[in-house]
Amino acid sequence: QVQLVESGGGLVQAGDSLRLSCAASGRTFSSSTMGWFRQAPGNEREFVAVINWDSQTIHYADSVKGRFTISRDNAQNTIYLQMSSLKPEDTAVYYCAARNDRYSTTYLPTQQYAYDYWGQGTQVTVSS
């Protein structure tokens, strides 16, 4: 059974940092495109960041560019989201997602429907 499990969320103050992790099990995603999305209360789930299999191609939403960094450790079957200079508007449930692709280098989808596996999410709350 394939599982993506996020961790690292919590309650922080504006300007603080957090590091989210997403550990995959049930199969290896070392050759797959993976990403982070988030959903704030009352809002649609939105794209945050995506990374290709070898970390050579990365794309961020404009709202987090320069503050968030996505990375991965294929040996650990894990991706990360380092979040810095957090703002109250970053408050959301953060989800990791994986595509059922192999060795993609240029296609970095930002749409939810392009992803095949999802975690349950981890809550990030940023107080002002």
Side-chain angles (χ1 to χ4, degrees):
Q1 180 182 355
V2 175
Q3 278 192 312
L4 301 177
V5 179
E6 302 94 338
S7 62
L11 171 63
V12 297
Q13 293 189 327
D16 285 350
S17 298
L18 271 180
R19 188 194 197 203
L20 305 183
S21 301
C22 172
S25 61
R27 58 159 280 186
T28 179
F29 286 98
S30 60
S31 61
S32 303
T33 303
M34 299 186 72
W36 288 96
F37 289 75
R38 67 185 182 185
Q39 186 169 18
N43 289 1
E44 299 282 324
R45 191 174 299 187
E46 65 176 8
F47 165 76
V48 174
V50 58
I51 186 168
N52 85 315
W53 72 277
D54 64 355
S55 306
Q56 293 304 300
T57 312
I58 290 171
H59 177 60
Y60 297 98
D62 287 343
S63 58
V64 306
K65 201 172 295 182
R67 300 188 298 120
F68 291 11
T69 302
I70 188 171
S71 61
R72 65 191 299 162
D73 183 341
N74 286 339
Q76 299 295 321
N77 218 18
T78 299
I79 67 167
Y80 304 96
L81 187 68
Q82 177 67 48
M83 305 185 295
S84 303
S85 302
L86 282 162
K87 305 175 181 180
E89 51 262 45
D90 295 318
T91 295
V93 177
Y94 283 72
Y95 300 90
C96 72
R99 282 177 47 80
N100 194 25
D101 62 358
R102 296 191 71 193
Y103 304 115
S104 178
T105 57
T106 57
Y107 178 50
L108 295 180
T110 62
Q111 305 90 340
Q112 295 180 60
Y113 64 74
Y115 292 81
D116 303 287
Y117 303 98
W118 291 85
Q120 292 300 305
T122 185
Q123 176 71 47
V124 172
T125 303
V126 184
S127 65
S128 58

